[in-house]
Structures are given as C-alpha cells and as structure tokens.
Amino acid sequence: MRPEVMQTMIDMVDKYVRIEEFNKLLKECVYEKGSEQTGWGEITRYAHLMLGGSSPNLDRTAAITEMIMLAADIADDLQDQDNKDKLWMQYRQEYVINGVLALLMGAVAESAELTNGKGGPVTLTREISRILLESLNGQFADLEQNVTTEQQYIAMVYQKSGSLIHLACYMGYAELGLDSKAAGTMKEIAYYSGIIAQLENDLKDLLRFDMKNDILRKKRTLPILYLLSAEESFPYMKQYYEGKLTQSDLLAKKQECIDYINDSGCMEYSKIIQTLHRQKAAELLESLTTVSPWREKFQQVTLITA
C-alpha cells in the first residue's frame, strides 16, 4: 500500500473515532493491512488514470477503497475463522465487529464528501452500497456451501469477488461520467477479474493442509468440484464431504490425497478457466479508449498472470 494512502486512512480513523482504545485498534488494523501487498487502492488509481482522470483527490479515493476492503477482509476472516495469525483475530470478536462497522461507516462518510460527474455524493454512496450488497449476496452463498456445479460457482464468485473488484474500479471512474457502455464494459472486466483472482486463491489453498485448506473445510471451489466429480481413484474425499469419514481419517491419507490432486488435472483445468476469463477481460479492455501506461498497470493488478 502506498504510504500516502495509508496515512490518509489513519487520518480518517482520527477524524471519526475518538475513543482511544477503539482508535488504537483500527489503526493497528490499518498498519497490518498496509504491510501487505494489497492492490485495491491501485485498482482505483489505475482505473481513474487510464480512463483519463486527473483528480487531486485520488489518494483519498484510493484510501476509501482500502478502508472498505479492509472491513471486508476482517469480516471474511471472522466468518471463516481460518486466519488466526491476523492481528484482528487476536482481539475480542465483538470489538472487531464494531471495528468493521466503523471502517465501513467512515468510508461511507468520506465518500459522501466527494462529488462525481453524475449526481454528486448521493449517487456515489448509493452505488457503493449497491455494489457491496451484491458482494454480500455472493459471500452468503459461499458460506452456505451449497455450490455443486461449475455454473453455480461462477455465479457465486461473480457476486462475491467480482463485485469487490467492480467497486474498486468504480471508485476510480465514478467522477469521470462514463457513458453507460463504457461503464458496463468496466463492470464486465471487473467480474472476469474476480474469477481470475478467486481461482488464484483457490489453487493456493488446495495443497496446504492447515486451517486454510479448502478441502478440510469442505468448501466447494472450482478445482474441488472437479475432484469430487472424478473421484473413482480416490473416493475418500467424496466420503469426507458426505460425512462418512472424519477429518482425521482424511489426514491419515494426506499423501494419497496430494498425489490425487496433482494427477487429477484439476489445477490445469482451473488454469484454463482462468486463461479464458483473462482473454475475455483483455479483449474488453482493448475496446475502451484508455491512456498508457496506466492501462498496462491496471492490467497488472487485475488480470493476474502468475
């Protein structure tokens, strides 16, 4: 995170939170997030610049984006209980929930002070709320763990992850007054980028056998759906998902499970889906009138290539 963006977030905390311990908690969360290679504010920045923007408020806008995404990250960790080493997981959960609300409300309050080319601050805050609610719908679908098909998975990720990238993009172009076609194209790019990013996370979590492992948590990501549909050579995973095996039973077959994953083709298949979405997003980006080098930088933070 850029130092100037993090400082703006700290200033926002001081502006809205006056109880010393609460202020300290939120600042620690901001510093923790600032130490990561977070790209949310950069998406906002590059979306703005590549579409011809030159706002003097860009750091502030990027900071609002980062505040919202920090709240979303904390809420996600509270729900999943799989990131125990995070600073915010060391505090009492009721304090942290209060912190999530404070970060969101502070971001909304700051956004209300910004204006855009189509409707002013009311339009901006309304659209932020609408996009966030779309993401929350996807998050709830993920928590229900009722996804059983690739189509359901894609629809869930479009909402959950795609909406957040859409929000980061929207924060960048909101004041530019894009026509409906260009705004729709940016939304499509964001949703394709959400699939790319989520698949990257799914693949990283597939082979790590700790609390972040999606199989142990019985999540149904795209590579896991692939594994569950072709389980003849390793039926134990499906049995675990059906409750016929315990976690200890599955962990006793850890190496067999890893071998099955590596040999199954699920990772290759997921990479193909990633590539297809990357190509679609790149084609859409080419159709827009954009400014270099900001378009290329925007691609780097949204269309993951590693």
Side-chain angles (χ1 to χ4, degrees):
M1 187 187 300
R2 293 173 184 255
E4 57 269 31
V5 171
M6 186 164 66
Q7 184 56 54
T8 303
M9 294 172 71
I10 294 298
D11 293 342
M12 289 181 193
V13 172
D14 283 335
K15 181 177 179 180
Y16 295 109
V17 180
R18 289 174 290 279
I19 295 177
E20 184 177 351
E21 285 303 310
F22 194 21
N23 181 288
K24 177 176 177 288
L25 166 60
L26 292 180
K27 284 182 179 177
E28 287 180 351
C29 291
V30 171
Y31 286 129
E32 171 103 348
K33 193 64 179 173
S35 66
E36 300 175 2
Q37 289 185 323
T38 174
W40 295 109
E42 296 298 87
I43 293 174
T44 293
R45 180 180 302 279
Y46 296 141
H48 181 81
L49 295 172
M50 80 169 184
L51 292 169
S54 57
S55 172
N57 291 321
L58 193 49
D59 285 340
R60 187 181 180 195
T61 306
I64 293 171
T65 298
E66 291 284 5
M67 289 275 277
I68 294 170
M69 300 309 174
L70 173 56
D73 280 350
I74 295 173
D76 188 63
D77 286 343
L78 288 173
Q79 290 166 343
D80 290 343
Q81 292 291 311
D82 63 351
N83 248 342
K84 297 292 188 179
D85 58 328
K86 286 294 184 183
L87 178 144
W88 43 79
M89 299 301 288
Q90 313 306 314
Y91 281 89
R92 288 169 55 179
Q93 288 196 1
E94 58 266 38
Y95 289 178
V96 179
I97 291 170
N98 214 44
V100 169
L101 294 173
L103 291 167
L104 286 174
M105 291 302 97
V108 169
E110 283 295 301
S111 69
E113 295 183 8
L114 297 174
T115 59
N116 66 48
K118 290 191 174 182
V122 172
T123 299
L124 181 60
T125 53
R126 183 177 63 231
E127 193 66 8
I128 289 172
S129 300
R130 189 193 65 77
I131 297 171
L132 275 177
L133 283 168
E134 186 74 10
S135 180
L136 288 171
N137 275 287
Q139 178 73 1
F140 187 84
D142 189 28
L143 290 170
E144 279 194 304
Q145 297 190 8
N146 288 334
V147 171
T148 58
T149 68
E150 179 180 325
Q151 291 74 21
Q152 290 173 339
Y153 169 88
I154 295 294
M156 179 270 291
V157 174
Y158 270 16
Q159 286 186 302
K160 177 187 171 184
S161 303
S163 293
L164 292 180
I165 296 179
H166 178 209
L167 177 58
C169 291
Y170 175 76
M171 292 299 295
Y173 68 73
E175 70 174 51
L176 302 180
L178 295 188
D179 61 47
S180 59
K181 182 178 179 181
T185 298
M186 284 297 296
K187 180 178 179 179
E188 281 192 78
I189 291 169
Y191 279 66
Y192 287 141
S193 300
I195 293 292
I196 296 166
Q198 187 61 56
L199 280 171
E200 196 71 14
N201 287 336
D202 291 347
L203 289 170
K204 286 178 181 176
D205 290 347
L206 191 60
L207 287 172
R208 53 182 295 178
F209 278 78
D210 57 15
M211 285 301 293
K212 286 285 287 180
N213 181 270
D214 287 336
I215 294 171
L216 295 182
R217 293 159 58 210
K218 295 186 178 180
K219 296 194 73 172
R220 287 178 167 84
T221 64
L222 188 65
I224 291 173
L225 288 173
Y226 185 99
L227 291 168
L228 291 173
S229 68
E231 41 69 53
E232 292 84 1
S233 61
F234 190 78
Y236 311 109
M237 186 180 298
K238 188 173 183 179
Q239 291 171 11
Y240 173 65
Y241 271 73
E242 292 173 345
K244 297 175 182 177
L245 292 181
T246 66
Q247 189 175 106
S248 296
D249 293 332
L250 187 67
L251 285 172
K253 301 180 182 298
K254 175 180 172 180
Q255 190 55 53
E256 292 175 69
C257 186
I258 291 172
D259 292 340
Y260 171 58
I261 292 169
N262 285 326
D263 295 340
S264 69
C266 72
M267 291 185 284
E268 292 81 359
Y269 176 71
S270 298
K271 287 290 185 182
I272 289 170
I273 300 300
Q274 239 189 354
T275 298
L276 290 173
H277 282 82
R278 186 180 298 114
Q279 290 171 345
K280 290 177 181 178
E283 289 170 7
L284 287 169
L285 191 55
E286 284 294 325
S287 73
L288 291 171
T289 301
T290 54
V291 179
S292 291
W294 310 117
R295 181 184 66 191
E296 292 75 15
K297 290 183 179 295
F298 177 81
Q299 284 181 293
Q300 289 171 7
V301 295
T302 55
L303 310 186
I304 302 166
T305 56

